[in-house]
Amino acid sequence: MNGTTPFPLGKVAVSDLFTDREAERERLAANIRNHVSTVLISPRRWGKSSLVRQVAVDMARDKKVRFCFIDLFKTLNEEEFYAHFAKAVIEAASTKLDDRVADIKSFLKRLVPFIQVGIDPYSEIKFTAEWKDLERSRDDILNLPEKLSKAKGITLVVCLDEFQSIDRFADPLAFQQRLRANWQHHQQAVYCLYGSKRHLMMEIFTGYDRPFYRFGDLMLIGKIERRYWVEYIPERFRAGGKRISKELAGAIAASMGDHPYGVQQLAYTTYLLSGKTCKQQDVDAALEQLLDQYTMLYQQLVEQMTLPQLGYLKALAAGETRFSSKEVLTRYALGTSGNVKRIREALQSKDVLDFEGEMTEWLDPLFQVWMTQRYWSPRELGLVEP
């Protein structure tokens, strides 16, 4: 078994590790060049972060464009947001500590932050401030990207990951109104907002009564098509000194429903288990190893579900589509037809399923396989003849 792998499991994929998304890359880059803000929406682990990072790599030669990356996943309130935002924007606009300190003094005059600097003139700054100072400087901080872009003759691209996290702040609507009120006037700075909770992102950006309604260009990111996987997986195997046929590459993608992270996960494990030439038994063994590896986690997830929620998943796995019919409600113990909506909302909030129109997606394709092969059997689901 080879101890290295050319697959970017759990990491942002860029350059040779990035595949497909050509149209999305061109569109996002065009938006940035034209100073149009962009909203990216898709389920988690479908490659939004990789897409944005790849566009940053694509545009790296343009010294007039600077990317600022901010992850809001651990940001719990407005105070943390303003501190993180100010620090990240200041660091993105200038590379030297002296310039960063000068920018703080010039553009955040009402803010008196505690700044800790190191010996290295290119090291990051440690930026903290009292809430009372941040509060009276909120608009100054939110306007930093525009002011710095104009002052330095650049375009600051502010990329905010897990943007839906702001919906858990104490007064989310008031906060969103403040963001929109400032950012809608920016002409030089550009914003790229994306997150992993599709239903929350859709609420924020498509609700006509929400502050961010029609903010920028809305891009709905889909899965990577099978035809790209059957080229990408053999290329990555060759990069690691191994071979796999396009047929087996397609089988890996199919078993994970073309889910970007799931395909990378199974391809990674298959690569490690295979010899110089990958065989079908290597793919089968890799899938079994992953199912074994995640069994404890999936058992815990199942234990946290109610019987109606498990019944809904069983009906879905069995291919049922009329969930509110009397027959399905009775067979799978779903309760009343009104309860079906609550079940769907609960499974969505648990990041088990995602719904878009008539389409339902299992957010973790390996969990779907585990449920249909380990928790239930294909025979129990009526998928094979008894």
Side-chain angles (χ1 to χ4, degrees):
M1 181 177 74
N2 193 327
T4 61
T5 172
F7 292 95
L9 186 65
K11 300 178 181 179
V12 173
V14 295
S15 302
D16 292 342
L17 300 177
F18 190 86
T19 186
D20 192 15
R21 309 295 193 204
E22 298 299 328
E24 293 92 337
R25 286 165 68 178
E26 292 178 4
R27 182 170 166 183
L28 180 54
N31 285 349
I32 292 169
R33 287 192 294 268
N34 292 308
H35 300 98
V36 174
S37 292
T38 305
V39 176
L40 301 174
I41 298 180
S42 77
R44 64 189 176 96
R45 292 180 173 176
W46 280 30
K48 293 180 297 297
S49 297
S50 293
L51 171 61
V52 178
R53 293 279 183 172
Q54 181 59 48
V55 171
V57 172
D58 294 341
M59 304 184 73
R61 292 183 179 180
D62 189 346
K63 302 304 180 184
K64 293 292 185 180
V65 178
R66 306 274 182 85
F67 281 78
C68 171
F69 295 97
I70 305 172
D71 188 346
L72 299 179
F73 181 69
K74 295 181 180 180
T75 303
L76 301 179
N77 51 48
E78 286 190 51
E79 179 179 354
E80 291 185 3
F81 177 92
Y82 291 122
H84 294 166
F85 188 88
K87 177 180 181 294
V89 170
I90 289 290
E91 289 183 339
S94 300
T95 56
K96 293 184 178 180
L97 281 173
D98 289 345
D99 293 335
R100 292 170 178 173
V101 173
D103 288 340
I104 292 173
K105 292 179 179 179
S106 297
F107 298 102
L108 295 175
K109 295 179 181 179
R110 291 186 293 178
L111 185 65
V112 185
F114 171 74
I115 305 171
Q116 183 177 344
V117 299
I119 299 176
D120 185 353
Y122 296 96
S123 64
E124 67 175 23
I125 59 175
K126 292 185 178 179
F127 181 105
T128 57
E130 296 290 336
W131 169 237
K132 62 180 180 179
D133 294 328
L134 290 168
E135 188 175 23
R136 66 173 179 239
S137 300
R138 290 181 297 185
D139 292 336
D140 290 338
I141 292 172
L142 294 178
N143 285 311
L144 259 181
E146 180 72 358
K147 291 180 178 179
L148 287 169
S149 292
K150 290 181 175 179
K152 298 176 182 294
I154 61 175
T155 295
L156 267 176
V157 185
V158 182
C159 305
L160 292 162
D161 197 359
E162 300 295 349
F163 188 77
Q164 78 282 338
S165 297
I166 67 174
D167 222 38
R168 66 190 179 193
F169 290 179
D171 192 348
L173 284 181
F175 179 67
Q176 291 171 38
Q177 287 167 353
R178 181 177 291 276
L179 296 185
R180 179 67 185 260
N182 284 281
W183 292 352
Q184 68 183 351
H185 299 294
H186 294 181
Q187 301 296 319
Q188 194 71 14
V190 182
Y191 297 87
C192 183
L193 314 177
Y194 48 108
S196 60
K197 298 273 191 177
R198 179 159 64 177
H199 62 290
L200 289 179
M201 290 289 286
M202 292 294 287
E203 288 177 13
I204 292 172
F205 291 101
T206 65
Y208 71 91
D209 57 343
R210 300 294 291 262
F212 274 95
Y213 178 63
R214 291 189 174 178
F215 178 83
D217 182 27
L218 181 65
M219 293 175 57
L220 301 179
I221 308 299
K223 294 180 181 179
I224 294 176
E225 295 180 29
R226 183 79 48 82
R227 59 192 178 97
Y228 290 101
W229 288 125
V230 299
E231 298 292 337
Y232 173 79
I233 294 173
E235 286 177 1
R236 300 317 305 156
F237 265 71
R238 285 194 295 271
K242 297 186 179 185
R243 291 186 299 174
I244 185 174
S245 68
K246 289 185 176 182
E247 289 74 22
L248 284 181
I252 289 174
S255 63
M256 291 292 104
D258 298 312
H259 185 294
Y261 181 83
V263 175
Q264 295 275 13
Q265 186 180 38
L266 182 54
Y268 166 84
T269 307
T270 301
Y271 176 89
L272 292 180
L273 293 180
S274 66
K276 286 294 184 179
T277 301
C278 179
K279 299 179 175 60
Q280 179 65 55
Q281 54 261 40
D282 299 321
V283 179
D284 296 339
L287 183 57
E288 289 302 311
Q289 184 181 100
L290 286 173
L291 292 173
D292 291 340
Q293 180 180 336
Y294 282 85
T295 286
M296 185 174 295
L297 174 65
Y298 292 154
Q299 286 176 338
Q300 292 175 348
L301 179 59
V302 166
E303 289 171 0
Q304 296 170 4
M305 295 182 187
T306 64
L307 290 178
Q309 289 167 10
L310 286 172
Y312 187 96
L313 292 180
K314 187 175 184 180
L316 179 65
E320 303 286 0
T321 57
R322 300 175 63 249
F323 290 91
S324 295
S325 69
K326 184 177 181 179
E327 180 183 356
V328 172
L329 290 174
T330 302
R331 180 182 300 170
Y332 299 97
L334 302 182
T336 65
S337 58
N339 195 43
V340 171
K341 181 180 179 181
R342 291 188 287 272
I343 294 172
R344 286 163 57 98
E345 290 174 347
L347 291 172
Q348 190 171 48
S349 67
K350 293 175 183 287
D351 281 338
V352 175
L353 299 179
D354 187 71
F355 304 94
E356 184 179 14
E358 298 298 319
M359 299 295 295
T360 302
E361 290 282 354
W362 292 74
L363 289 176
D364 182 349
L366 186 65
F367 179 59
Q368 180 184 8
V369 175
W370 185 85
M371 290 292 284
T372 56
Q373 293 187 12
R374 295 283 185 90
Y375 190 75
W376 298 300
S377 68
R379 181 167 296 176
E380 285 181 273
L381 297 173
L383 300 179
V384 297
E385 291 295 329

